[in-house]
Amino acid sequence: MRLIFAGTPDFAAVALEALIRAGHEIALVLSQPDRPSGRGMKLTASPVKTLALQHGLPVLTPQTLSLKRDPEGAAAVHETLRNVEADVLIVAAYGLILPTPVLECAKGIGRDGDIRAINIHGSLLPRWRGAAPVARAIEAGDAETGVTLMKMELGLDTGPMISMRSTPITKEDTNATLMDRIAHIGADLLVEALEHPYDLTWTPQPEEGVVYAEKLQKSEGRIDWTQSAEVIARRIRAFTPFPSVYFVHGDLNVKVWEAEPVAGEGAPGTVLSVKDGLTIACGEGALRATVLQRPGKPRMPADSFLQSLPIEVNEVLA
């Protein structure tokens, strides 16, 4: 099939790679503009743009697709998209709002020919609409999540569902590991759907069970020791690698990368043990941190970390 692909991060690059391997014609790729990255803040192409260029695919990186914000520039992009005469637009974590002219730029597939844009969304809709569905599912303690292929419309992840596939959330899953697994599930589901594009149908999302996954913020990273150890442990996994979770020791923000709930009692934030990890009392139970990091240093096992930054039993961490 002749496709336009819109995506930006690694999650989307997995889908683009799968479409290329499946033999689809990627007529045009949309991705966000290059962003400053690394210590030198050098402009760096997105994973999707990098992959597209490796395969010799044409790429556009508009700052906006909104006619209100950039009437001439956006109109030119809209015209380019229409002139491609693609069968369908595929969207995966693109990151820009898509106005109606973009959503309707392709010819359309499906049994009624009305599926012009398909989104790969990392949840079992209607649960976890929004920007951070994978992280919020882990944070909430969901037993499973998955991927939904959705016929796109103007609302925020409100479009009807074409297909979905679930996967369990394990006790070891972080945002990074689960996102990688969901990316591959979504890519496989998309390739399978496009094997019979004119047989596709869709079903409206249920009206009940709608939950929104708010964008992750750095301000959420500080540990609240009055929460239960189970909740804090889930947040650590949900916020790995971004925005990460930390506590304050003196004037240092100490990141916690791996931890588990254990038995223990004490005032929240009190250090209970420094053997076999750093164990801190929580609002309910205790948390044993096993991998930590201080500013400017690499991640370290707790025993090695505590040799470089001693923390004593009965100290109270902020």
Side-chain angles (χ1 to χ4, degrees), residues 3-238:
L3 309 176
I4 297 172
F5 185 90
T8 299
D10 290 317
F11 176 87
V14 172
L16 178 58
E17 180 70 47
L19 291 172
I20 294 170
R21 289 199 311 268
H24 292 287
E25 179 188 0
I26 314 299
L28 182 63
V29 173
L30 293 175
S31 195
Q32 288 204 41
D34 298 359
R35 305 294 188 196
S37 179
R39 291 186 177 181
M41 298 302 286
K42 181 180 178 181
L43 284 178
T44 304
S46 74
V48 163
K49 178 181 176 180
T50 299
L51 177 63
L53 294 178
Q54 288 172 354
H55 287 273
L57 303 176
V59 182
L60 292 180
T61 57
Q63 292 284 349
T64 181
L65 294 168
S66 168
L67 292 171
K68 291 183 179 180
R69 295 182 60 185
D70 183 6
E72 293 185 4
V77 175
H78 296 179
E79 182 178 7
T80 298
L81 295 175
R82 288 192 298 270
N83 290 340
V84 168
E85 297 187 339
D87 295 304
V88 67
L89 165 68
I90 304 297
V91 182
Y94 178 37
L96 293 182
I97 294 175
L98 302 182
T100 298
V102 175
L103 295 177
E104 297 181 350
C105 70
K107 297 176 183 178
I109 60 175
R111 189 167 297 176
D112 297 323
D114 62 348
I115 301 175
R116 293 183 172 87
I118 296 175
N119 178 247
I120 309 171
H121 185 76
S123 81
L124 301 175
L125 290 170
R127 186 168 177 80
W128 302 123
R129 294 175 181 173
V134 176
R136 298 305 184 189
I138 295 173
E139 182 185 19
D142 289 3
E144 66 173 2
T145 186
V147 176
T148 304
L149 295 187
M150 176 184 66
K151 177 180 178 288
M152 293 190 72
E153 58 181 33
L154 286 177
L156 179 61
D157 300 327
T158 59
M161 305 176 296
I162 298 169
S163 61
M164 63 171 53
R165 185 166 295 164
S166 65
T167 184
I169 300 176
T170 72
K171 292 294 185 181
E172 291 74 37
D173 270 323
T174 66
N175 190 12
T177 63
L178 186 55
M179 182 75 78
D180 181 68
R181 187 161 75 251
I182 284 179
H184 286 86
I185 291 172
D188 291 344
L189 193 62
L190 177 64
V191 169
E192 291 173 15
L194 294 181
E195 289 177 355
H196 303 285
Y198 297 101
D199 292 337
L200 296 178
T201 58
W202 48 263
T203 304
Q205 291 187 34
E207 296 182 1
E208 296 182 354
V210 175
V211 181
Y212 284 91
E214 299 294 336
K215 182 179 180 180
L216 299 178
Q217 304 289 344
K218 287 186 178 180
S219 58
E220 298 181 78
R222 187 165 180 172
I223 293 175
D224 177 359
W225 295 112
T226 65
Q227 294 181 323
S228 73
E230 180 65 38
V231 167
I232 296 172
R234 290 202 306 261
R235 287 172 64 85
I236 291 168
R237 294 189 292 113

